[in-house]
Amino acid sequence: MTDETNLIAWSLEEVAERHGDPTAAVYERLFAKSPEMAALFIGDKTGAARGEMLAVVFQTLLDFSSEGAFGANMVRAEIINHEGLGVPPQVFTTFFATVMETVRDLLGDDWTPSVAAAWEDLLAGLEAAIHNEATV
């Protein structure tokens, strides 16, 4: 890892390399924190929707932590898409934090202060995007 490394990308890649698909771990943590969210996935018998949603989240996180070409717009669009399901915008904050917590736990000792700071900055930017959309 060098100073030029995108620590968000690095952490997601390390988790995938070491643990494979983290979808089950992310959603297990989400449903433990917010049991009411499980009801929104009642029709997702195979977990395909959860996996697809997490893939989009990873794309958004990677974009937000690098060139920022579409991440904020993706967050806005998904907030609007989820309104019809009764999902309030703040759930996105919870979900992004859940992803970070899962990555942190899966990285273990490799979750360094630099990685933590990168995720904190990312979550702050995402929170601002969510707040801006919620107040529009």
Side-chain angles (χ1 to χ4, degrees), residues 64 71-73 75-76 79 123-134:
F64 230 93
N73 288 334
V75 170
R76 284 187 208 99
I79 287 172
L123 292 178
L126 288 162
E127 174 67 27
I130 292 163
H131 177 74
N132 289 342
E133 182 56 34

Side-chain angles (χ1 to χ4, degrees), residues 79-95:
I79 287 172
I80 292 166
N81 288 340
H82 285 75
E83 273 180 338
L85 299 171
V87 178
Q90 282 312 110
V91 167
F92 286 80
T93 301
T94 300
F95 191 79

Side-chain angles (χ1 to χ4, degrees), residues 52-136:
E52 184 178 327
M53 285 178 57
L54 190 59
V56 170
V57 166
F58 286 170
Q59 291 170 347
T60 302
L61 293 173
L62 292 170
D63 179 74
F64 230 93
S65 67
S66 59
E67 71 271 359
F70 70 88
N73 288 334
M74 178 62 80
V75 170
R76 284 187 208 99
E78 290 304 321
I79 287 172
I80 292 166
N81 288 340
H82 285 75
E83 273 180 338
L85 299 171
V87 178
Q90 282 312 110
V91 167
F92 286 80
T93 301
T94 300
F95 191 79
F96 289 130
T98 300
V99 171
M100 180 276 299
E101 293 162 358
T102 305
V103 170
R104 178 195 63 213
D105 290 355
L106 292 174
L107 283 180
D109 290 341
D110 288 326
W111 182 265
T112 64
S114 298
V115 175
W119 274 93
E120 287 172 23
D121 288 347
L122 175 64
L123 292 178
L126 288 162
E127 174 67 27
I130 292 163
H131 177 74
N132 289 342
E133 182 56 34
T135 58
V136 172

Side-chain angles (χ1 to χ4, degrees), residues 2-82:
T2 68
D3 290 339
E4 295 84 37
T5 300
N6 176 326
L7 294 175
I8 303 303
W10 175 85
S11 64
L12 293 173
E13 290 165 4
E14 283 295 306
V15 164
E17 243 178 65
R18 296 176 192 183
H19 303 282
D21 182 359
T23 300
V26 169
Y27 283 92
E28 181 179 314
R29 182 183 296 268
L30 177 68
F31 298 156
K33 276 169 80 168
S34 303
E36 70 281 4
M37 296 303 300
L40 295 172
F41 294 90
I42 195 89
D44 185 25
K45 303 291 186 211
T46 65
R50 284 171 277 199
E52 184 178 327
M53 285 178 57
L54 190 59
V56 170
V57 166
F58 286 170
Q59 291 170 347
T60 302
L61 293 173
L62 292 170
D63 179 74
F64 230 93
S65 67
S66 59
E67 71 271 359
F70 70 88
N73 288 334
M74 178 62 80
V75 170
R76 284 187 208 99
E78 290 304 321
I79 287 172
I80 292 166
N81 288 340
H82 285 75

